[in-house]
Amino acid sequence: MGKKILVFLVLMGVFYSCGNLSLKAAQAGESYVEEMMDGEEYAALERTVEKILHAEKFSLTDYIRRVLSGESAFSLSDFTASITRGIFGQMDELKKDFVQLLALVLLTSVFNGFAKAFRDGQVAESGYYVSYLLLFSMLASGYLSMSSVAENTLNTLLEFMKVFVPVFCGTIAFAAGSITSQSAAAGLFMLLTAVDYVLISLLLPVIHLYMMTVLVNHLAKEEPLGKMTQLLAKGVRFALKAALSVVAAASTMLGFITPAADALKRGSIIKVSEMIPGLGNLFRGVAQTLCGAGNLIKNAVGTGGMIVIILICIVPLGRVLLVSICYRTGAAVVEPVADRRIVNCLTDAAEGITMLFQTLFAGAVLFLLMFAVLIRATS
């Protein structure tokens, strides 16, 4: 009789311990979040986000906590209002430059029209050179400003990614496993290196060369560097398409292979635990609770990082795009009265600004694509 009571008490203790295990699994996510936010890596991330988005009403920490607590995580109306406010602010700044550009081109056209009334054609040609040099300085100044915007934004994006990747990969380790986390960290840091080298160190200088070639090419009637400008433009666009294709393929392969290895290891542990009579289903429930908490944390951190990337890039993208539209609009407006070379110069300059936009857009899309694949593959 005493032995039966002892066995009963042992079984009751086991079931009670397992019940506490379920409760601890549910609380493990909260403990991990608190430890993560108290760590040095997250502190560096928070300082970087605060420095980058000091003008925006967005806090990564508040976003993560609202997601985990089940509250409304993100206000689409506030996000749209912030973007609209930033873009319209850029339009107000660009309005003055656009008016100056149109005034310069129209005055140049009037001057050239009077100059052509003289029999000596050198007067008209000299007038064109003087007016073109003024246009040259204005376009070069505008391009250098937009190039600085694109380069600074890409550098800011890289600065954010360097502190965000360790935090995000830590959540992947908690949710999916160490193999996936290590592979994701390696892939993301390789992407950081590729963006730094290909977009900033390679493509931006090529776009600079294209723009200078365009401005010099339209100084002469024959346009001796026309083929060179076409080659440079096609090379930049091909490189951007190739970069997007390579990253898409690498992200897909990474999402297919590495999570499967961790899933196999985790599934084997669950299968072995299910073989324990009476306790298998309980262990399975604990594992599912823990995985669910890990996925929620990982998705919250990953989505918050994607929102920060969008906030970093959206206003500079809008500004560069607006400048390109201004140049194209100016070329269309003055085409009936302006010299053909000036119209072509404005159109080609708009192409150079557009390539800056495409480069910056590609940098943002590369990281967003990688995060989207990793979040989906590890869920």
Side-chain angles (χ1 to χ4, degrees):
M1 185 68 179
K3 290 182 179 181
K4 292 182 179 180
I5 295 175
L6 180 62
V7 170
F8 176 76
L9 292 176
V10 170
L11 290 176
M12 289 294 295
V14 170
F15 279 104
Y16 177 76
S17 299
C18 291
N20 286 337
L21 188 62
S22 299
L23 180 60
K24 290 180 180 179
Q27 297 173 344
E30 297 179 5
S31 300
Y32 175 80
V33 171
E34 295 301 326
E35 291 179 5
M36 178 187 71
M37 291 185 174
D38 291 337
E40 182 60 33
E41 291 179 343
Y42 189 85
L45 172 62
E46 194 171 23
R47 288 193 300 268
T48 303
V49 172
E50 184 177 356
K51 181 181 72 172
I52 294 172
L53 300 180
H54 59 88
E56 303 292 339
K57 296 180 180 179
F58 180 78
S59 170
L60 182 61
T61 301
D62 292 343
Y63 174 83
I64 295 173
R65 291 190 182 280
R66 286 198 300 270
V67 170
L68 298 179
S69 63
E71 300 177 12
S72 178
F74 191 66
S75 174
L76 182 61
S77 59
D78 292 343
F79 181 68
T80 306
S82 176
I83 293 174
T84 304
R85 184 171 58 253
I87 292 178
F88 276 100
Q90 303 298 325
M91 291 179 65
D92 292 336
E93 294 179 7
L94 294 173
K95 191 182 300 180
K96 181 180 178 181
D97 295 337
F98 179 64
V99 172
Q100 290 178 348
L101 179 65
L102 284 181
L104 175 61
V105 175
L106 291 175
L107 287 175
T108 299
S109 303
V110 172
F111 178 78
N112 288 339
F114 280 116
K116 288 178 181 178
F118 295 93
R119 291 184 178 181
D120 189 1
Q122 292 182 354
V123 176
E125 195 65 20
S126 300
Y128 170 78
Y129 288 141
V130 172
S131 58
Y132 185 80
L133 288 176
L134 293 174
L135 179 65
F136 184 103
S137 62
M138 180 174 288
L139 293 178
S141 176
Y143 170 77
L144 290 176
S145 177
M146 293 303 101
S147 174
S148 177
V149 168
E151 186 173 358
N152 291 338
T153 304
L154 287 173
N155 286 325
T156 301
L157 187 60
L158 291 176
E159 180 185 0
F160 165 71
M161 290 300 302
K162 288 176 183 177
V163 295
F164 180 71
V165 168
V167 175
F168 178 67
C169 292
T171 62
I172 291 180
F174 180 72
S178 59
I179 298 176
T180 305
S181 175
Q182 293 171 2
S183 300
L188 286 169
F189 278 116
M190 287 177 62
L191 181 58
L192 282 172
T193 305
V195 169
D196 188 16
Y197 178 75
V198 175
L199 297 187
I200 298 177
S201 301
L202 183 62
L203 290 187
L204 284 182
V206 172
I207 298 174
H208 299 343
L209 179 60
Y210 166 85
M211 194 66 181
M212 294 302 104
T213 304
V214 163
L215 294 177
V216 172
N217 186 47
H218 293 292
L219 188 62
K221 289 183 178 180
E222 295 79 10
E223 297 185 1
L225 300 176
K227 296 298 181 182
M228 176 64 73
T229 59
Q230 293 178 12
L231 178 63
L232 292 174
K234 289 181 180 179
V236 169
R237 291 193 173 90
F238 175 79
L240 291 175
K241 291 178 182 178
L244 287 171
S245 301
V246 170
V247 170
S251 302
T252 304
M253 293 177 62
L254 183 66
F256 280 154
I257 297 173
T258 52
D262 279 319
L264 178 62
K265 182 171 64 175
R266 185 170 58 249
S268 300
I269 296 175
I270 294 176
K271 289 295 183 183
V272 171
S273 66
E274 287 179 344
M275 297 173 62
I276 302 175
L279 301 179
N281 291 332
L282 184 58
F283 278 120
R284 183 179 182 85
V286 170
Q288 289 177 347
T289 302
L290 193 60
C291 290
N295 282 327
L296 181 60
I297 297 169
K298 177 206 62 183
N299 292 348
V301 174
T303 306
M306 294 173 71
I307 292 172
V308 173
I309 291 174
I310 293 173
L311 290 174
I312 290 173
C313 297
I314 191 66
V315 173
L317 280 171
R319 183 177 182 182
V320 176
L321 182 60
L322 285 173
V323 172
S324 176
I325 293 173
C326 286
Y327 285 2
R328 293 184 186 278
T329 304
V333 170
V334 303
E335 185 176 12
V337 296
D339 189 285
R340 177 182 59 84
R341 288 174 288 178
I342 290 181
V343 175
N344 291 339
C345 181
L346 284 173
T347 303
D348 290 344
E351 282 294 319
I353 303 296
T354 301
M355 284 191 285
L356 288 178
F357 171 83
Q358 292 170 339
T359 302
L360 181 54
F361 183 77
V365 169
L366 289 175
F367 289 115
L368 291 175
L369 178 63
M370 179 70 98
F371 281 126
V373 172
L374 287 174
I375 290 173
R376 183 67 185 87
T378 55
S379 295

